[in-house]
């Protein structure tokens, strides 16, 4: 996928696209010194990372719009991204227009990279350099949020366990998952009564985005 194909598929503005190109350029530059993403994924950066992240924005927008005019808009929402790594999906979502995104990453070098991207792109993010399970004890932690995401981080039950301190009745979790998702859900549904929906992935035919919310 080329940048032009990404822009057409995601329908982002020219200004947003310019900021995402800055992000992509910094990623390629920093990758030479820090292993930010899998080296073999760089040639298809716009599909494997940018679009894989951007699809969550479209899903979240549909969820917000489905709640009616009195619900909080996506531009006013607070989003928590667990295990952000090089900033996917959290930084992409912030650049696309989510109100405020909290990024949690224990690797200080990756956090330094995300700070640089945020500075260069003007993304409204708060970066927490800590382990996920330590976040609730940190000053500036987000409390209960509107959305929680995690990409290629852990199994669904573990993600939900980490999410507990930050979930309210209205919080929606969005987790991109691969072909083993049904096995994960079998184990999860034995002891969890969450409402689960699968959205088809826009980047891989065997993948989905799990939408998980309280009953």
């Amino acid at each position: 996928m080329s940048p032009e194909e990404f822009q057409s598929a995601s329908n982002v503005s020219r200004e947003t696209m310019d900021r995402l190109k800055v992000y992509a350029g910094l990623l390629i530059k920093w990758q030479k010194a820090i292993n930010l993403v899998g080296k073999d994924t760089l040639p298809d950066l716009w599909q494997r990372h940018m679009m894989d992240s951007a699809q969550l924005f479209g899903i979240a927008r549909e969820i917000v719009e489905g709640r009616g005019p009195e619900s909080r808009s996506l531009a006013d929402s607070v989003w928590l991204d667990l295990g952000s790594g090089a900033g996917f999906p959290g930084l992409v979502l912030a650049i696309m227009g989510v109100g405020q995104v909290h990024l949690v990453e224990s690797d200080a070098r990756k956090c330094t990279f995300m700070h640089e991207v945020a500075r260069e792109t003007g993304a409204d993010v708060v970066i927490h350099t800590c382990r996920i399970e330590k976040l609730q004890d940190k000053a500036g932690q987000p409390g209960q949020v509107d959305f929680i995401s995690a990409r290629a981080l852990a199994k669904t039950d573990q993600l939900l366990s980490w999410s507990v301190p930050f979930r309210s009745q209205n919080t929606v979790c969005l987790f991109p998952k691969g072909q083993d998702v049904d096995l994960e859900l079998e184990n999860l549904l034995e002891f969890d009564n969450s409402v689960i929906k699968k959205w088809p992935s826009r980047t891989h035919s065997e993948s989905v985005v799990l939408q998980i919310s309280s009953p």
Side-chain angles (χ1 to χ4, degrees):
M1 174 179 279
S2 68
E4 293 74 24
E5 289 170 331
F6 170 88
Q7 184 172 14
S8 176
S10 61
N11 200 33
V12 298
S13 67
R14 181 182 299 177
E15 178 187 3
T16 298
M17 191 65 202
D18 287 343
R19 295 165 73 198
L20 289 171
K21 285 180 178 177
V22 170
Y23 184 1
L26 288 168
L27 179 69
I28 292 168
K29 177 182 177 181
W30 281 60
Q31 178 74 16
K32 298 173 183 177
I34 303 173
N35 185 32
L36 295 168
V37 297
K39 185 171 64 174
D40 61 336
T41 68
L42 275 182
D44 199 15
L45 167 63
W46 287 96
Q47 168 121 347
R48 294 286 295 275
H49 299 295
M50 294 297 189
M51 180 54 73
D52 201 46
S53 300
Q55 65 179 331
L56 300 191
F57 186 90
I59 293 171
R61 183 168 52 195
E62 285 197 40
I63 293 169
V64 168
E65 290 174 353
R67 289 174 172 173
E70 295 184 0
S71 66
R72 179 147 60 170
S73 72
L74 200 52
D76 296 323
S77 296
V78 179
W79 195 298
L80 174 62
D81 188 40
L82 304 175
S84 300
F88 302 111
L91 261 175
V92 173
L93 297 168
I95 292 170
M96 290 181 72
V98 170
Q100 184 179 78
V101 180
H102 288 254
L103 305 163
V104 188
E105 173 55 49
S106 61
D107 188 322
R109 298 172 305 164
K110 292 179 179 178
C111 289
T112 300
F113 168 74
M114 291 193 289
H115 275 293
E116 179 66 8
V117 174
R119 186 181 69 82
E120 291 283 347
T121 62
D124 186 5
V125 298
V126 180
I127 299 171
H128 303 275
T129 309
C130 67
R131 296 183 64 82
I132 296 166
E133 56 268 31
K134 300 293 185 181
L135 177 62
Q136 62 181 314
D137 300 322
K138 283 198 65 178
Q141 58 100 346
Q144 293 179 332
V145 299
D146 299 293
F147 290 93
I148 299 174
S149 59
R151 179 175 178 262
L153 179 63
K155 292 184 178 180
T156 305
D157 56 353
Q158 178 64 75
L159 296 177
L160 290 176
S161 176
W162 282 329
S163 300
V164 167
F166 312 104
R167 290 178 70 185
S168 71
Q169 188 70 21
N170 297 318
T171 302
V172 176
C173 298
L174 294 175
F175 302 142
K177 287 290 177 179
Q179 59 186 4
D180 294 331
V181 63
D182 288 333
L183 180 58
E184 288 189 26
L185 292 181
E186 277 183 26
N187 297 331
L188 173 69
L189 292 174
E190 290 181 7
F191 61 89
D192 190 281
N193 63 345
S194 296
V195 177
I196 298 174
K197 177 178 179 178
K198 294 179 187 175
W199 296 78
S201 171
R202 297 185 63 183
T203 60
H204 196 287
S205 60
E206 295 183 358
S207 297
V208 300
V209 176
L210 285 182
Q211 173 188 332
I212 303 177
S213 55
S214 298

